[in-house]
Amino acid sequence: MSNEIISWIEISKKALINNINIMRSRVKPGVKIMAVVKANAYGHGLIETATIAAVNGVDFFGVNCLDEALRLRSAKIKTPVLVLGYTPLARLKDAVSHDISLTVYNAESINRLQETAAKYKKNARVHIKVETGLNRQGVEAQNLRDFLLRVKSKKNIEVEGISTHYANIEDTTEHTYAKKQVENFKEACELFNREEIAFKYRHTACTAAAILFDEVHFEMIRLGIGLYGLWPSKETKISAYERKINEFNLMPVMKWKSIIAQVKTVEANSCIGYGCSDFVTQNSKIAIIPTGYYDGYDRKLSNSGYVIIKGRRAPVLGRICMNMFIVDVTNIEGVKCEDEVLLLGSDGEDSVSAETLASKIGTINYEVVTRINETLPRIVTE
Ligand SMILES: Cc1ncc(COP(=O)(O)O)c(C=O)c1O
């Protein structure tokens, strides 16, 4: 590793390809895979991740916003891209001119898209999002027919897909609510058929749905967390186990590393860090890690996190600061300045998982990885 950086993310190409292949083996041949690379590819690095995925079996990219889509295009990634979030009316022209597909559910977007597409003499490609129970983005069932008639009347608009998103798959092992959403989705698709609106892809499945329910794979699945080698939740793991879906060896793609900036000894009963929130009861050796909450190392890990140095756990002492924190290395032999420190990931012997960090700070693994500051270098290994 470069000896010029103090905190960085390593992305395992091997793990990413493994996860794509595992998810690919879950679906029938012909089902497309959309890699959800929004939020800087869940913190893994948008371009670094997409560059690997684009040539290893991914058919589509899902991003949150147009700027993420345009970054993919600037990196010469030609794979189809769908914006999953909202695109402001004033930016629709950028989507049309760069052949970016858009998620739509508002009459305003449809009207402006038609004008824009006509002006550019192109077709605007849209995926109509239908509301089936999450009550987030989507056309409500009672408005769907009018919406479809509006779309049908706009000749420069091509319906590429129909989508919805599940409210309650990851949080439970009881999937009645999700099944009701599937029924609602199928009813919506029938309306498309009745109104003779052609589409290529129906897509509803996030990682948990794709793992658990074959019947929701339709023509495309949308994979986020699983691609990065993380399980959506404990409940999803239990549900998979109950369904005897045991072959899933997802490999975490990310490691977060830093180095030691200083090693020093402190006397017994010394306070450590801001607020004197910690102290040592014996003569101790401490190490300063130049990574902090600005980088995404959550302040709630104060006095409770741990890192791995030379294969051994070093507990966090005191508060996480903006740009650094302190660990206890009393029991680790030979620790010195610029030794490598593992903040997240496995070193083969021991690990700090995203789930461990999530449970310590009261959140989910998704948030742990996505909140790692975009400015840290992402380095592809293998
Ligand atoms: C619309 C949509 N589809 C798919 C996904 C991917 O979900 P997961 O990361 O659980 O696979 C997300 C993630 O938030 C999403 O918002």
Side-chain angles (χ1 to χ4, degrees), residues 244-263:
K244 306 202 180 338
I245 304 168
N246 300 324
E247 76 276 26
F248 261 76
N249 184 22
L250 294 173
M251 290 166 65
V253 171
M254 173 188 286
K255 284 183 186 175
W256 186 358
K257 293 184 175 174
S258 188
I259 55 170
I260 292 176
Q262 188 183 10
V263 180

Side-chain angles (χ1 to χ4, degrees), residues 21-262:
N21 290 341
I22 285 186
M23 296 307 296
R24 163 72 62 210
S25 71
R26 186 80 193 87
V27 298
K28 286 201 207 90
V31 173
K32 305 279 183 207
I33 292 189
M34 176 187 291
V36 178
V37 291
K38 61 183 184 166
N40 199 28
Y42 288 37
H44 292 66
L46 173 63
I47 301 306
E48 294 82 353
T49 304
T51 303
I52 299 167
V55 292
N56 284 285
V58 158
D59 308 290
F60 238 101
F61 286 111
V63 295
N64 177 53
C65 62
L66 195 61
D67 286 331
E68 291 172 336
L70 296 181
R71 281 179 61 202
L72 291 174
R73 290 289 180 257
S74 301
K76 307 270 179 285
I77 293 171
K78 301 209 164 60
T79 310
V81 181
L82 171 65
V83 175
L84 297 166
Y86 181 69
T87 305
L89 303 177
R91 301 289 314 273
L92 295 177
K93 58 181 183 326
D94 299 325
V96 172
S97 60
H98 287 89
D99 296 317
I100 307 291
S101 304
L102 296 175
T103 301
V104 293
Y105 39 83
N106 285 336
E108 293 87 340
S109 305
I110 294 298
N111 295 344
R112 183 74 74 89
L113 258 183
Q114 163 62 20
E115 290 163 26
T116 311
K119 192 167 149 203
Y120 281 86
K121 296 192 174 41
K122 282 187 152 203
N123 272 359
R125 285 200 295 262
V126 300
H127 292 228
I128 297 177
K129 186 145 199 178
V130 297
E131 180 55 72
T132 58
L134 175 60
N135 288 316
R136 204 171 70 170
Q137 305 179 111
V139 187
E140 308 90 312
Q142 67 274 23
N143 298 331
L144 187 57
R145 186 163 179 274
D146 283 352
F147 189 82
L148 296 187
L149 293 178
R150 181 182 296 273
V151 172
K152 204 172 161 180
S153 70
K154 313 286 188 195
K155 66 176 174 9
N156 292 77
I157 296 185
E158 176 192 331
V159 178
E160 192 175 43
I162 316 175
S163 71
T164 199
H165 196 46
Y166 296 108
N168 200 20
I169 285 204
E170 295 87 359
D171 293 85
T172 179
T173 54
E174 204 288 298
H175 294 112
T176 312
Y177 196 83
K179 285 180 181 147
K180 180 71 192 136
Q181 283 192 263
V182 177
E183 279 171 32
N184 294 343
F185 182 70
K186 286 182 174 164
E187 269 172 36
C189 293
E190 275 167 25
L191 189 56
F192 277 71
N193 291 335
R194 280 204 296 281
E195 296 302 338
E196 297 180 331
I197 297 183
F199 52 83
K200 276 197 207 149
Y201 309 114
R202 289 167 298 168
H203 50 100
T204 70
C206 55
T207 299
I211 292 175
L212 298 179
F213 305 116
D214 298 9
E215 64 273 26
V216 301
H217 294 166
F218 298 108
E219 289 78 38
M220 181 150 72
I221 57 175
R222 303 188 304 263
L223 300 177
I225 202 84
L227 229 43
Y228 307 106
L230 304 179
W231 278 82
S233 64
K234 232 184 253 169
E235 289 77 2
T236 307
K237 240 183 183 172
I238 294 168
S239 300
Y241 183 75
E242 284 172 352
R243 286 168 172 71
K244 306 202 180 338
I245 304 168
N246 300 324
E247 76 276 26
F248 261 76
N249 184 22
L250 294 173
M251 290 166 65
V253 171
M254 173 188 286
K255 284 183 186 175
W256 186 358
K257 293 184 175 174
S258 188
I259 55 170
I260 292 176
Q262 188 183 10

Side-chain angles (χ1 to χ4, degrees), residues 53 64 72 86 137 141 192 270 289 314 333 350-351 355 367:
N64 177 53
L72 291 174
Y86 181 69
Q137 305 179 111
F192 277 71
S270 299
I289 317 296
E333 287 285 306
D350 202 353
S351 67
E355 292 73 26
E367 188 179 348

